[in-house]
Amino acid sequence: MGHGGGGALSGELTRHLFTPAYGNETLGGLGDSAVLPLPGARLAFSTDSFVVRPLFFPGGSIGDLAVNGTVNDLAMSGARAAYLSCAFILEEGVGLPVVGRIADAIGAAAAAAGVVIATGDTKVVEAGHGDGVYVNTSGIGLVPDGVDIRPQRAVPGDVVIVSGPVGLHGIAIMSVREGLEFGVEVESDTAPLGSLVEAMLAVTRDVHVLRDPTRGGLGTALNEIAAASGTGVALVERHVPVPEAVAGACGFLGLDPLYVANEGRLVAFVPRTEADAVLAAMRAHPLGTGAAVIGECVAEHPGMVVSRTGLGGTRVIDLPLGEQLPRIC
């Protein structure tokens, strides 16, 4: 299970097994999506599989995740998603009304994101060999001219911005999975981020890095960017927007909010000269009203993320082995 959690074990699996087996420069970038040069255009391409349990949760469902997750992976390359594929793997015995609810959620999420479900596939496995419903989506979109967004572009001096409160999706899943109550219902933040990225790129095409901190949360995403760019990240922990309900739930469960999954947030590395304008554009967008500057990219401690705590000390935000909560997306 640790190998599927998006942390250090996932990275080892990719670097030591998959990447050598496939061996090509396109895959070597290891971004949320691949950018493929074609005559007269650059195409972004991504695929993702969704195995979340439970299938329905406050604020969304596996259907919403299937669309928004792939749309967001494309957006992290600066691309506006255009077409998706959608494949279902169904376990024998799952109710057709359940499948219908998921299909309706996919259709509604696609319409909201402005994408077309262009092709698909369905497979059925024997009872006991699945967990109800798994969904895979792949997507394509075009990258605008002048946009070059990838983790290797982070440089010292970049300002680190997160688009809103973190940890909502993971705690929403935990609350319904374990039957826990935290005094207020926590809803997933699942949302398509393409229009938010467009608003940012309208200010400047020189956005260096975008990443949606899904599995492994914000801490994992920052570690991946630091490692890919060979720079350090200096985080100010009290500037990270953690909702009170998330903080309370994490304290009760012994979780770190920085490692809790999100499904409708992004973290951006932008040049300091553009940071104020990008932040203002994000806050003017419905999906970025809670955007905040949380740190900067530095030359010190290359490849590491270091956080200044509320007590004035520092701690290393390390890459987790697996994930605090599996089957999150």
Side-chain angles (χ1 to χ4, degrees):
M1 292 301 293
H3 284 93
L9 290 176
S10 291
E12 289 180 5
L13 191 69
T14 299
R15 290 191 304 273
H16 300 307
L17 194 155
F18 296 132
T19 303
Y22 305 155
N24 63 78
E25 293 182 4
T26 301
L27 181 66
L30 296 179
D32 286 330
S33 61
V35 176
L36 312 174
L38 297 173
R42 287 184 299 152
L43 186 73
F45 178 43
S46 184
T47 189
D48 209 343
S49 298
F50 298 86
V51 298
V52 63
R53 179 170 57 86
L55 298 173
F56 305 95
F57 45 83
S61 70
I62 191 173
D64 300 278
L65 294 184
V67 172
N68 295 338
T70 297
V71 165
N72 293 347
D73 282 347
L74 294 171
M76 297 307 103
S77 295
R80 179 73 173 188
Y83 296 98
L84 301 184
S85 70
C86 182
F88 278 79
I89 298 176
L90 308 176
E91 183 183 18
E92 177 188 12
V94 66
L96 290 181
V98 171
V99 180
R101 282 183 65 189
I102 296 170
D104 288 343
I106 288 173
V115 296
V116 174
I117 306 293
T119 188
D121 181 52
T122 304
K123 295 292 189 297
V124 178
V125 299
E126 298 89 343
H129 291 266
D131 192 11
V133 178
Y134 300 147
V135 180
N136 172 275
T137 48
S138 297
I140 57 174
L142 290 177
V143 180
D145 291 338
V147 171
D148 181 17
I149 299 174
R150 47 193 170 88
Q152 293 80 6
R153 290 200 67 211
V155 295
D158 280 353
V159 173
V160 182
I161 305 173
V162 69
S163 64
V166 301
L168 290 166
H169 177 71
I171 297 304
I173 295 294
M174 173 66 86
S175 66
V176 292
R177 184 183 294 178
E178 305 299 336
L180 301 175
E181 296 184 4
F182 303 115
V184 60
E185 183 176 73
V186 179
E187 292 192 352
S188 170
D189 58 356
T190 179
L193 297 173
S195 60
L196 175 60
V197 172
E198 286 185 342
M200 297 166 66
L201 293 177
V203 172
T204 175
R205 295 292 175 98
D206 193 27
V207 174
H208 288 172
V209 186
L210 293 174
R211 182 61 62 95
D212 57 334
T214 53
R215 294 181 305 167
L218 179 62
T220 297
L222 293 175
N223 268 279
E224 291 172 345
I225 295 166
S229 62
T231 62
V233 175
L235 198 65
V236 182
E237 203 156 324
R238 62 187 175 85
H239 291 173
V240 179
V242 179
E244 184 177 347
V246 171
C250 287
F252 175 73
L253 297 168
L255 303 177
D256 188 331
L258 292 180
Y259 297 116
V260 177
N262 311 271
E263 287 292 343
R265 297 288 179 257
L266 64 80
V267 60
F269 284 55
V270 299
R272 185 171 301 278
T273 55
E274 308 286 357
D276 289 343
V278 170
L279 182 63
M282 294 173 73
R283 287 176 171 172
H285 190 280
L287 295 176
T289 55
V293 173
I294 60 172
E296 62 180 338
C297 193
V298 297
E300 296 78 23
H301 50 80
M304 294 177 59
V305 181
V306 175
S307 176
R308 189 164 74 245
T309 68
L311 298 176
T314 59
R315 68 171 176 131
V316 174
I317 306 298
D318 208 352
L319 191 66
L321 279 178
E323 188 176 32
Q324 297 180 118
L325 182 62
R327 301 284 301 280
I328 203 75
C329 62

